Amino acid sequence: MQIHVLASGSTGNAVFIEMDNTKLLVDAGISTRRIKQSLAAIGTNVEDLDAVFITHEHRDHVNGLQTLLKKYRLPAYARPDTWKSLYCRAALPDECCQALPDSLDIGTVKVEPFPISHDAADPVGFRLYAGNTKVCVATDLGFVTPTVKDALALSDVLVLESNHDLDMLQNGSYPWPLKKRIMSNRGHLANTDAGWALARLDRKAHTDVFLAHLSRENNRPELAEDTVANILTAQGCKLGQDITLHLTYPEKISGFTHNKQEAIV
């Protein structure tokens, strides 16, 4: 198994997941050239991707999709309303644009989308299963609903949003309407939200958690990690034993292979 967050943040998002030799990309929010280069850095060819999954239509999740599909003719899955809302839909090859069902199998991997609360047409997170292994991706969500909590439970690997520090956001330079959007139930998770969500999850003996979609303006990687870690520790979680936290970055690859962390700059 490989999990590599190729990029994460408001400037672009893409996550590579390989399970049972099935290679998947969740979101294509960076350029096709960068996707190709990032995959090559971890020993994978872009041509070998089995499918692309899109969480929602916001540009930081789809900016590279047009070139990626036109050049490599990969199958891409998104909710019908997401396709309708996508700015570049008319330029995409029709045969590549597949409607995302509630469950589908790609190779030996079962992919199940689940609804999330975000200001998009029909946004989703993803849970992926291969044998006894479960991987979840959940970013761009205003709060953790009971449905999301159930979806994330008992994950081996979880990519979870930890977007902002609330004090930094409230005291920062963003205009008030944008601050309200980010803090709303259809906005983004604060560091404290991520920490409490993890603390309240049903978990396996060990879970690897990538803290994702960190704001450059309203967060710092070490602050996100410390805030989440402090909440988990206060709730009796043993960091490094029960949960291992990994940070993600806009311009770096972070991830691991076969449960051995291999952070890549």
Side-chain angles (χ1 to χ4, degrees):
M1 179 178 68
Q2 290 193 68
I3 309 294
H4 286 92
V5 180
L6 307 184
S8 183
S10 58
T11 57
N13 298 272
V15 181
F16 171 71
I17 300 169
E18 180 181 358
M19 303 171 75
D20 278 0
N21 296 315
T22 298
K23 298 177 173 66
L24 306 174
L25 188 70
V26 176
D27 287 332
I30 55 178
S31 70
T32 296
R33 174 180 293 183
R34 188 172 164 199
I35 290 171
K36 183 176 181 178
Q37 291 173 342
S38 297
L39 291 175
I42 58 174
T44 297
N45 296 317
V46 66
E47 297 90 345
D48 294 334
L49 289 173
D50 293 292
V52 180
F53 290 89
I54 302 300
T55 59
H56 63 292
E57 72 274 11
H58 290 168
R59 290 204 179 208
D60 57 323
H61 294 261
V62 298
N63 265 336
L65 189 63
Q66 181 175 336
T67 301
L68 186 67
L69 298 192
K70 291 177 74 172
K71 187 170 184 178
Y72 296 105
R73 301 285 164 163
L74 300 169
Y77 294 86
R79 290 298 202 191
D81 284 347
T82 298
W83 286 126
K84 291 177 185 177
S85 302
L86 194 66
Y87 79 97
C88 61
R89 174 61 186 89
L92 300 179
D94 288 340
E95 68 271 18
C96 295
C97 301
Q98 305 294 319
L100 177 65
D102 290 336
S103 179
L104 75 159
D105 296 329
I106 304 292
T108 58
V109 176
K110 180 175 290 294
V111 181
E112 295 180 347
F114 54 90
I116 59 176
S117 179
H118 192 53
D119 55 354
D122 190 4
V124 297
F126 290 102
R127 50 189 170 192
L128 303 93
Y129 300 91
N132 294 321
T133 301
K134 178 181 178 181
V135 175
C136 273
V137 178
T139 66
D140 296 70
L141 62 164
F143 74 111
V144 176
T145 64
T147 297
V148 171
K149 183 180 177 182
D150 289 345
L152 303 185
L154 303 176
S155 295
D156 294 280
V157 183
L158 173 57
V159 181
L160 180 67
E161 180 167 57
S162 188
N163 177 257
H164 60 276
D165 174 79
L166 190 57
D167 288 337
M168 288 184 68
L169 175 63
Q170 290 177 330
N171 297 314
S173 62
Y174 281 8
W176 178 242
L178 179 55
K179 292 180 181 181
K180 285 181 64 178
R181 171 190 172 266
I182 292 170
M183 291 186 291
S184 76
N185 284 347
R186 302 187 71 214
H188 293 278
L189 281 189
N191 296 334
T192 50
D193 297 327
W196 282 110
L198 290 171
R200 292 165 176 160
L201 279 183
D202 291 332
R203 298 190 303 269
K204 291 186 175 180
H206 180 264
T207 304
D208 283 284
V209 177
F210 289 88
L211 300 179
H213 215 296
L214 274 66
S215 169
R216 282 183 170 179
E217 180 79 14
N218 303 301
N219 209 352
R220 297 191 307 274
E222 63 275 11
L223 178 58
E225 185 175 38
D226 287 348
T227 301
V228 172
N230 288 339
I231 291 172
L232 291 174
T233 300
Q235 296 302 305
C237 176
K238 297 178 181 177
L239 292 176
Q241 180 176 323
D242 300 330
I243 289 180
T244 300
L245 297 177
H246 309 273
L247 292 172
T248 65
Y249 306 90
E251 297 173 354
K252 297 180 185 178
I253 306 170
S254 58
F256 61 79
T257 302
H258 300 307
N259 296 324
K260 179 182 178 182
Q261 187 183 6
E262 297 177 347
I264 301 174
V265 177

